[in-house]
Amino acid sequence: MKKTKSLTYLALFMAIEAVLVMVPFLGFIPIGPLRATTLHIPVIIAAIVLGTREGCLVGLIFGLFSLFNNTINPTVTSFAFSPFISGNILSAVIAIVPRVLIGFVSGEVYRLMKNRFPTAGMFVSSFLGALTNTALVLGGIYLLFGQAYAKALGRSFASLAPYFISVISTQSLLEAVVGAIIAVAVSKALLKVKRG
């Protein structure tokens, strides 16, 4: 019975990822040439409610949807997430690996904190999971496609790092805090239902 309930939750999180991708401006929110996302939130919640492995699996779904969306609905910077556009398999690494690691970081941080600080553990794991996504995606882009990405944005390569730092310190922090608040509220409710 417990395994069936967990599988049902896992299927639900995967379905939520699909809905977020399919509904315009819900999963991927265009902000200039970048896309803010809400797709990390179900990954974090899955990691808290179901565990690290399941969080990683939902993160994999997020990554595959990111690759798919950037391939069929490209922007000037989509080459960084789609090997079908860039011709470079490392684009798939940027699209997928950080998203899997959202689940890993969120799940492991919560596992370490949940017995002593359950609510704080949910918030910290959610916040760090969201920042993991941002830091690894932007870091990967900078290291692997920096010159091309700067050119696509109409910037010099020298201005790319300060630009990414400004994105992290504004948009990404806001995304992480809002995502953490939502993840804590939903995770608390789901854990109560799951235990009951």
Side-chain angles (χ1 to χ4, degrees), residues 87-173:
N88 188 333
I89 194 66
L90 293 175
S91 295
V93 172
I94 292 174
I96 295 168
V97 173
R99 282 58 193 265
V100 172
L101 290 175
I102 296 169
F104 180 79
V105 169
S106 298
E108 288 303 295
V109 170
Y110 180 65
R111 184 182 64 79
L112 292 170
M113 294 183 70
K114 69 180 180 180
N115 292 331
R116 293 188 65 198
F117 310 103
T119 302
M122 286 180 195
F123 187 87
V124 172
S125 65
S126 301
F127 186 79
L128 292 178
L131 286 185
T132 296
N133 178 49
T134 303
L136 292 179
V137 167
L138 295 182
I141 289 170
Y142 186 82
L143 292 173
L144 301 173
F145 297 102
Q147 297 281 357
Y149 201 86
K151 187 176 179 185
L153 294 178
R155 296 178 167 272
S156 67
F157 178 66
S159 72
L160 191 60
Y163 172 65
F164 280 172
I165 290 167
S166 75
V167 168
I168 290 170
S169 61
T170 54
Q171 172 190 321
S172 300
L173 280 177

Side-chain angles (χ1 to χ4, degrees), residues 11-22:
L12 176 68
F13 287 122
M14 291 178 177
I16 290 168
E17 288 286 317
V19 169
L20 289 174
V21 169
M22 289 187 279

Side-chain angles (χ1 to χ4, degrees), residues 1-138:
M1 180 69 175
K2 191 177 178 184
K3 191 171 184 181
T4 305
K5 194 181 272 191
S6 291
L7 285 172
T8 304
Y9 277 122
L10 186 59
L12 176 68
F13 287 122
M14 291 178 177
I16 290 168
E17 288 286 317
V19 169
L20 289 174
V21 169
M22 289 187 279
V23 176
F25 308 109
L26 191 57
F28 292 106
I29 304 154
I31 298 176
L34 301 175
R35 287 179 176 155
T37 185
T38 57
L39 287 154
H40 63 292
I41 298 171
V43 178
I44 292 165
I45 297 169
I48 291 169
V49 174
L50 302 175
T52 302
R53 185 181 62 188
E54 291 81 358
C56 289
L57 189 55
V58 178
L60 174 63
I61 299 300
F62 172 9
L64 291 172
F65 276 134
S66 175
L67 191 156
F68 176 75
N69 189 55
N70 279 286
T71 302
I72 65 160
N73 185 22
T75 66
V76 293
T77 58
S78 287
F79 66 89
F81 302 94
S82 173
F84 302 103
I85 295 173
S86 69
N88 188 333
I89 194 66
L90 293 175
S91 295
V93 172
I94 292 174
I96 295 168
V97 173
R99 282 58 193 265
V100 172
L101 290 175
I102 296 169
F104 180 79
V105 169
S106 298
E108 288 303 295
V109 170
Y110 180 65
R111 184 182 64 79
L112 292 170
M113 294 183 70
K114 69 180 180 180
N115 292 331
R116 293 188 65 198
F117 310 103
T119 302
M122 286 180 195
F123 187 87
V124 172
S125 65
S126 301
F127 186 79
L128 292 178
L131 286 185
T132 296
N133 178 49
T134 303
L136 292 179
V137 167
L138 295 182

